[in-house]
Amino acid sequence: MDFMEIANARQSCRSYDPERSVEKEKLEAILQAARLAPSACNGQPYHFTVCTGELAKEVAACTRGFGMNKFAAEAPVIIIISERPYVRTAALGAKLRGIDYRSIDIGIAAAYLTAEAAVQGLGTCILGWLNRKKLKGICNLDSDAHLAITVGYPGPKDKPRKKIRKDLEELVTWLDK
């Protein structure tokens, strides 16, 4: 698959196959892809916690509320991305510029992880609705959870959907001097 094929194929999976667990080799491949993601000053200010089995079910409960993310309970794997401290140079840049580089870096790592998951034939969904306090305790995290990513084989209800996106003209301004 080339990148445009991945970008067109990848979608948020909201139905997982309950009969299939995810092979450790595939989880390692998607985590390796995330490890290779660029980050401010190459600081990689994040940590991945891979939750499976009953722990994944407990974590899924921390992503629910107001009817959100019911499907997460079907996912055989949930990966929590938690924040880590900046490296000095990124911390200085963040302070001087008023930019949260960690959030940007975590987003890029999540994109790499989910793109490689698509290559591996896995479905993913990035979740930002989290009970961070509960997750911290359940997963024994030493820093705040930033995102949760459900991972598994798509179930029969998860059919490819047409991508609805803004037109390129609405998203891009071309400048020349």
Side-chain angles (χ1 to χ4, degrees):
M1 283 182 128
D2 70 22
F3 185 77
M4 289 306 291
E5 289 171 321
I6 295 165
N8 279 304
R10 196 249 159 227
Q11 65 183 17
S12 293
C13 183
R14 291 190 174 88
S15 175
Y16 293 94
D17 184 342
E19 303 300 316
R20 293 184 74 183
S21 57
V22 179
E23 299 87 345
K24 187 171 183 184
E25 304 79 45
K26 289 189 175 193
L27 290 171
E28 287 173 349
I30 67 175
L31 292 163
Q32 283 289 359
R35 184 182 73 83
L36 295 173
S39 61
C41 303
N42 199 29
Q44 297 177 288
Y46 39 74
H47 183 81
F48 304 96
T49 302
V50 181
C51 305
T52 60
E54 286 305 309
L55 183 59
K57 303 286 182 230
E58 288 182 51
V59 168
C62 294
T63 69
R64 296 186 59 185
F66 297 106
M68 305 278 286
N69 305 323
K70 291 178 186 174
F71 64 90
E74 298 175 3
V77 179
I78 300 180
I79 299 173
I80 304 298
I81 305 178
S82 52
E83 293 183 351
R84 287 292 196 249
Y86 285 117
V87 293
R88 280 188 188 165
T89 49
L92 178 61
K95 188 172 183 156
L96 290 173
R97 294 289 176 206
I99 296 173
D100 181 7
Y101 292 117
R102 281 184 295 205
S103 289
I104 296 166
D105 294 342
I106 288 169
I108 297 168
Y112 272 51
L113 187 150
T114 57
E116 180 59 28
V119 171
Q120 296 293 329
L122 300 169
T124 56
C125 190
I126 302 168
L127 310 176
W129 184 274
L130 309 171
N131 183 329
R132 287 171 171 74
K133 186 176 181 181
K134 257 186 163 173
L135 273 176
K136 204 171 189 178
I138 290 170
C139 296
N140 206 20
L141 303 174
D142 57 6
S143 59
D144 283 336
H146 201 80
L147 293 175
I149 302 176
T150 57
V151 182
Y153 285 96
K157 289 189 252 172
D158 195 71
K159 305 282 187 224
R161 300 180 296 274
K162 181 180 181 208
K163 290 198 182 274
I164 300 170
R165 300 293 191 266
K166 293 178 180 178
D167 289 332
L168 198 57
E169 292 76 27
E170 191 176 344
L171 296 172
V172 177
T173 300
W174 294 83
L175 301 175
D176 187 22
K177 200 170 192 177

